[in-house]
Amino acid sequence: MNKPLVGALLAALLLGAGAAPVAAAAPAPRTQEAAPKAGPAAKAVTFAGTVALSNCSGSVVRSPDAAPTDPALVLSNGHCMESGFPGPGEVVVDQPSSRTFTLLNASGSGVGTLKASKIAYGTMTDTDLSLYELTSTYQQIEDSYGIRALELETAHPTAGTAITVASGYWKRTYSCDVDGFVHQLKEGRWTWKDSVRYTPECQTIGGTSGSPVIDDATGKVVAVNNTGNESGQECTDNNPCEVDENGEVTVREGINYAQQTYNMVPCIGAGSTIDLTREGCALPKP
């Protein structure tokens, strides 16, 4: 993937908390030598509820049925997991983790540190997502920091929807529209289905991996930012290509993508348990 930050990745590897395997076959992250200046946020979107990881972005999310006493969940990318890039067909479930996240308030200031108890779910097959279960409940986070989790949308997004990608790592937002949907998005060894394609205005960069994609009108999370075509190559690492229902390949240099999240909501049960056998749950299984 092209969205973890290379500097943070190298530092994390030295500290024993890397988010990608050292193997040469791992995709090379996009570098960013200096922090970009913060861009203007859409009026409906703030940084409240977003988090910064060691090398990526994320957000505290909840399903519509979540109880205040349920353990909170953090959403990011599968390729941002500290255990490394899961291979095609690999699904991680209930893997112990002590990863920490910096919680941001509406203005983008860090207000506290949240800690994971486990990676509840993670994969790069069909989608690119990770869900961390925290040691804190939704109510404890709200009581301590005055911040509510972002709610996950339960319906498929629509083309033309105004969206904002909110990066907790960079404390920067990117505003654009949903341009359309990709039958299959192929990058290196991985294939994702029904991916969100942004209009060109969302020029996401290294470190924005795992950022929530927020519907400006509702404030709900509709996708998780994950990749983009950097140099116009076809279906290679850091250069995903689009494949339609007839197998026709299209390359869109400079265009970025996200993975939808409505389809994971049915998989979240009581107590924030990820139950892949629940009715309507279509996430890949181990």
Side-chain angles (χ1 to χ4, degrees):
M1 305 318 91
N2 62 355
K3 293 296 189 284
L5 187 73
V6 67
L9 174 59
L10 292 175
L13 287 171
L14 292 173
L15 293 171
V22 185
R30 176 184 294 177
T31 59
Q32 180 67 20
E33 300 199 356
K37 296 180 180 179
K43 291 182 180 180
V45 175
T46 72
F47 292 103
T50 64
V51 300
L53 286 65
S54 58
N55 65 331
C56 286
S57 300
S59 57
V60 181
V61 296
R62 62 182 295 274
S63 69
D65 297 330
T69 54
D70 288 345
L73 297 173
V74 162
L75 169 68
S76 190
N77 284 147
H79 77 261
C80 289
M81 293 191 296
E82 71 273 26
S83 53
F85 289 67
E90 182 180 355
V91 176
V92 175
V93 177
D94 292 337
Q95 178 174 293
S97 174
S98 58
R99 196 167 195 181
T100 58
F101 313 88
T102 301
L103 178 66
L104 306 186
N105 63 13
S107 64
S109 297
V111 294
T113 300
L114 305 177
K115 185 176 181 180
S117 62
K118 65 181 179 181
I119 301 173
Y121 184 86
T123 192
M124 288 175 65
T125 298
D126 294 350
T127 186
D128 182 10
L129 68 86
S130 59
L131 281 171
Y132 286 82
E133 183 178 305
L134 302 183
T135 57
S136 304
T137 67
Y138 293 112
Q139 191 64 59
Q140 287 171 333
I141 293 173
E142 187 171 355
D143 290 345
S144 297
Y145 308 111
I147 294 174
R148 292 178 58 86
L150 299 175
E151 185 174 332
L152 295 165
E153 176 59 71
T154 60
H156 192 293
T158 58
T161 298
I163 54 174
T164 298
V165 182
S167 171
Y169 187 96
W170 285 117
K171 302 177 179 62
R172 180 179 181 181
T173 60
Y174 303 80
S175 295
C176 59
D177 293 342
V178 174
D179 186 49
F181 304 95
V182 182
H183 176 63
Q184 289 186 337
L185 189 67
K186 292 183 176 290
E187 179 173 341
R189 298 186 295 149
W190 293 276
T191 300
W192 305 304
K193 298 178 180 178
D194 200 20
S195 303
V196 173
R197 180 177 60 242
Y198 304 144
T199 53
E201 294 80 11
C202 278
Q203 289 295 307
T204 49
I205 59 173
T208 64
S209 279
S211 299
V213 180
I214 301 170
D215 184 321
D216 289 354
T218 66
K220 295 181 180 181
V221 176
V222 297
V224 57
N225 180 67
N226 82 308
T227 195
N229 187 292
E230 294 186 359
S231 57
Q233 296 180 29
E234 183 177 304
C235 313
T236 63
D237 295 344
N238 303 323
N239 290 281
C241 64
E242 301 182 11
V243 183
D244 67 15
E245 292 86 345
N246 299 316
E248 182 175 344
V249 175
T250 301
V251 174
R252 301 178 192 270
E253 182 176 358
I255 295 299
N256 295 285
Y257 302 89
Q259 302 307 309
Q260 298 187 52
T261 51
Y262 79 95
N263 51 1
M264 73 184 188
V265 175
C267 309
I268 304 174
S272 298
T273 300
I274 306 303
D275 182 356
L276 302 179
T277 66
R278 295 187 82 220
E279 184 179 357
C281 178
L283 288 179
K285 299 174 176 59

